[in-house]
Amino acid sequence: MTRTPLPPSRPGGARGLATRVVLGALRASLLVSPRPAVLLVRRQFAAGVVDRTARLDALAPADVTAVLDEPYGPHPDEVLDVFHPAGAAGALPTVVWTHGGAFVGGTKDELRGWFRLLASHGFTVVAPRYTRAPEARYPTPVRQVLAALAHVQEHADRFHVEPSRLVLAGDSAGAQISAQVATLVTVPSYARDLGVEPTVDAAQVRGTVLCCGVFDLAQISRTSPLRDVLRACGWAYSGNRHFEDDERFLSTMSVGRHVTAAFPSTFVTVGNADPLRVQSQTLATTLERHGVDVETLFFPADHEPALPHEYQFEADTADGVAALDRIVRFVRRCTA
């Protein structure tokens, strides 16, 4: 998310009235189906990243080789991108980045410029597409990321992937998916409970990079500006209108309830103006309590400029540059 995916209301005027009518209609639609709200979220995501995508593409270095839309499975959505420095010789530490979008929106394509930036620092970057809700339900994206991991290991030489030096990464919903994959890889009983077969061993996953994630839907405040959006997305992803009462869904999705000391070294960041910032802070605290090696990039509440959701992709700003630098240093450290 780059912004709250609902238009801001205004106290008066025709536009303010129209906004209230739209919001009222969306809330009413949640009594019947999540699809109207999901479609609006997707449109808002697509519109909100046009400028950012263009700026990232303009910043992307030319000396990075890309393999785009490589199939990793039979479904049309099961394709991935691979980026590595041009002329790379041999295997490189590999970052597998799962994009965000509240489980219903977003694409890997809009981040290709940023992936090139990351790869230019001496990594292979793999970016899988997954099937978004409501076209697919939980935990389909988890299984698809695992299938992508199997594919890149099978073609490791061609992609310059080092299977023994993997970092699972993601933003927003993608951070949750990546954290969930890391959890099921390191906690066999959790994988069995979820009914998912890992395609990598715990020793292969050297770290996780988790940016602006949503890690526990049960902890979303009822006063959050994202409340209605996340209700729609949770319904679409779970297939259950009353997912907030579905303890199995909430529990298995909430990785903080299942992590152990075996969880990989982790870097966590979130902006000070992100409505989901408590989610990242809570997960970092939970991991530290288990003795996990954790690095954080958090900001004081009065930090200026205020940093919104997904601030780290603003790669032409001082804070975006700082985030990329910290991510690069973390990946180098944990894959050394």
Side-chain angles (χ1 to χ4, degrees):
M1 298 178 213
T2 56
R3 64 186 70 178
T4 301
L6 290 176
S9 60
R10 298 176 62 180
R15 185 176 177 183
L17 176 60
T19 297
R20 290 193 294 275
V21 169
V22 169
L23 290 173
L26 283 174
R27 291 184 179 116
S29 75
L30 289 176
L31 299 174
V32 180
S33 169
R35 285 184 178 272
V38 164
L39 292 175
L40 177 63
V41 169
R42 285 183 181 174
R43 285 198 297 270
Q44 290 291 102
F45 282 146
V49 301
V50 169
D51 178 62
R52 186 187 72 191
T53 299
R55 287 184 283 116
L56 288 174
D57 288 343
L59 291 169
D63 57 345
V64 171
T65 298
V67 177
L68 303 181
D69 293 332
E70 162 96 8
Y72 68 82
H75 192 279
D77 287 331
E78 293 176 345
V79 295
L80 55 79
D81 296 344
V82 181
F83 306 87
H84 57 74
L92 299 172
T94 301
V95 179
V96 180
W97 194 288
T98 304
H99 72 81
F103 306 104
V104 302
T107 73
K108 64 178 177 57
D109 303 354
E110 67 202 27
L111 298 176
R112 282 173 173 165
W114 196 84
F115 295 146
R116 288 177 183 271
L117 277 170
L118 182 57
S120 71
H121 290 273
F123 310 130
T124 292
V125 177
V126 177
R129 179 187 298 165
Y130 56 89
T131 306
R132 303 172 303 184
E135 288 77 14
R137 293 179 180 173
Y138 175 80
T140 297
V142 174
R143 293 193 173 99
Q144 289 175 318
V145 170
L146 287 166
L149 284 166
H151 182 81
V152 297
Q153 290 177 91
E154 183 180 350
H155 298 273
D157 290 344
R158 180 161 63 94
F159 293 148
H160 298 280
V161 165
E162 175 51 80
S164 67
R165 292 192 290 169
L166 301 175
V167 174
L168 303 179
D171 58 281
S172 194
Q176 189 279 334
I177 294 168
S178 294
Q180 193 168 9
V181 171
T183 305
L184 65 88
V185 166
T186 54
V187 183
S189 60
Y190 175 64
R192 289 192 297 270
D193 187 47
L194 197 61
V196 175
E197 186 70 27
T199 57
V200 293
D201 297 328
Q204 295 176 253
V205 181
R206 299 288 193 90
T208 67
V209 173
L210 308 176
C211 300
C212 307
V214 52
F215 302 107
D216 190 344
L217 287 178
Q219 299 303 316
I220 300 296
S221 167
R222 294 187 181 276
T223 61
S224 168
L226 298 177
R227 181 72 179 180
D228 289 331
V229 170
L230 291 176
R231 282 181 59 212
C233 296
W235 181 358
Y237 194 36
S238 68
N240 181 359
R241 174 184 169 188
H242 302 291
F243 74 90
E244 292 165 305
D245 299 321
D246 184 343
E247 181 54 30
R248 175 173 171 75
F249 170 70
L250 293 177
S251 174
T252 57
M253 269 199 69
S254 303
V255 295
R257 306 186 195 184
H258 304 278
V259 296
T260 68
F263 197 85
S265 296
T266 298
F267 173 79
V268 186
T269 189
V270 69
N272 63 312
D274 190 330
L276 298 174
R277 65 188 179 279
V278 173
Q279 297 265 324
S280 291
Q281 294 165 344
T282 300
L283 181 65
T285 299
T286 299
L287 292 173
E288 289 171 341
R289 190 168 64 246
H290 282 281
V292 176
D293 170 34
V294 179
E295 286 188 25
T296 61
L297 178 56
F298 298 152
F299 300 85
D302 60 355
H303 179 81
E304 291 292 341
L307 301 178
H309 192 62
E310 301 282 50
Y311 84 93
Q312 75 281 351
F313 292 137
E314 302 299 330
D316 53 357
T317 67
D319 293 308
V321 169
L324 177 59
D325 177 68
R326 287 288 302 275
I327 290 169
V328 167
R329 286 192 283 142
F330 171 79
V331 173
R332 284 177 177 162
R333 179 177 71 82
C334 69
T335 62

